[in-house]
Amino acid sequence: SCEGLCLSLNGREILKDITARFEPGRYHALIGPNGSGKTTLLAALSGFIRPDAGYARYGGRDVHRMGFRERARHFSVVQQRETASMPFTGLEMVLLGLTPHLSRLGGAGGADVETARSWMERTGALDFCDQPVQKLSGGEFQRVVLAGALAQKPEVLFLDEATSEMDVRARLQMLKLLRGEIEAQGLTVVAVHHDLSTALTAADHVLALS
């Protein structure tokens, strides 16, 4: 939830007195015109940006008082048009999503690799296991990133136009996958959408910013 959330960037007020509650096990869509603060609100809710006033809380706790590793056990975040800065293979990229659940001294084991491959299969990214992610198309790379985010076993999945690079068929497949996780695992999704028809089709709850 958030209450009285206010946030300015570079002297410009982006969010003003935003109050909202996000119910667990539901798909919440954030909509609004360009510049209305959708991405900024997502960043504040997930703990990446500290608000100037008000708060964002998860389970009654201020998310900005939670450590990065602790937040990573609860939240996964997929940014719009993420880019690959390291020469990882698709499988290595997905295995990064398991990091918050591994010991600080131990690496990924065989079961972790199988988990990663399973999520890649479910997002249609299994063919990219051994391919350098820097050579994948935008839509292919987003499939890998989403597989990694889901492999992280989040309670809340934050999506910022996460399927924007995918074709229509792939986008519908990903929405079906997310709805399945919501129903089976109680996953909570908070997603920025520019396409209103997709938002209204996918979401249980819509928050509109002006």
Side-chain angles (χ1 to χ4, degrees):
S1 65
C2 62
E3 184 170 335
L5 206 66
C6 298
L7 201 153
S8 297
L9 296 174
N10 300 319
R12 175 173 173 253
E13 186 178 63
I14 306 296
L15 302 175
K16 182 179 181 180
D17 197 25
I18 305 296
T19 295
R21 180 177 177 85
F22 302 90
E23 299 291 341
R26 303 187 77 187
Y27 192 115
H28 305 268
L30 302 181
I31 65 172
N34 291 337
S36 59
K38 300 184 296 295
T39 294
T40 303
L41 178 57
L42 207 70
L45 290 171
S46 58
F48 279 93
I49 300 179
R50 183 181 295 275
D52 302 323
Y55 64 79
R57 288 181 177 167
Y58 180 70
R61 296 188 59 200
D62 187 333
V63 298
H64 298 93
R65 294 182 180 273
M66 298 164 63
F68 178 81
R69 190 177 179 88
E70 183 182 3
R71 289 203 310 269
R73 291 194 186 103
H74 297 294
F75 310 149
S76 285
V77 181
V78 179
Q79 307 283 352
Q80 184 181 20
R81 296 184 178 88
E82 293 209 24
T83 57
S85 58
M86 298 292 287
F88 293 121
T89 65
L91 181 59
E92 290 169 338
M93 189 88 179
V94 175
L95 283 170
L96 288 176
L98 298 173
T99 302
H101 303 285
L102 302 177
S103 71
R104 295 184 183 276
L105 299 178
D112 300 312
V113 172
E114 287 307 308
T115 296
R117 289 179 60 88
S118 174
W119 279 113
M120 293 185 78
E121 182 175 16
R122 295 179 69 181
T123 62
L126 193 59
D127 289 343
F128 315 135
C129 273
D130 300 319
Q131 295 188 36
V133 291
Q134 292 173 320
K135 295 185 177 181
L136 299 179
S137 70
E140 291 170 343
F141 183 63
Q142 288 298 87
R143 287 171 180 260
V144 172
V145 173
L146 188 57
L150 289 167
Q152 197 173 321
K153 297 184 289 187
E155 295 163 3
V156 183
L157 178 62
F158 293 101
L159 304 174
D160 187 0
E161 284 290 306
T163 61
S164 60
E165 298 288 322
M166 299 180 189
D167 59 39
V168 173
R169 180 181 178 186
R171 195 176 305 157
L172 292 174
Q173 288 175 338
M174 294 308 106
L175 289 175
K176 182 178 180 181
L177 172 61
L178 293 176
R179 292 299 323 179
E181 287 303 297
I182 289 169
E183 293 168 10
Q185 306 297 333
L187 175 68
T188 303
V189 177
V190 182
V192 169
H193 284 281
H194 285 111
D195 179 19
L196 297 184
S197 62
T198 302
L200 294 175
T201 298
D204 303 300
H205 173 245
V206 175
L207 176 65
L209 300 180
S210 64

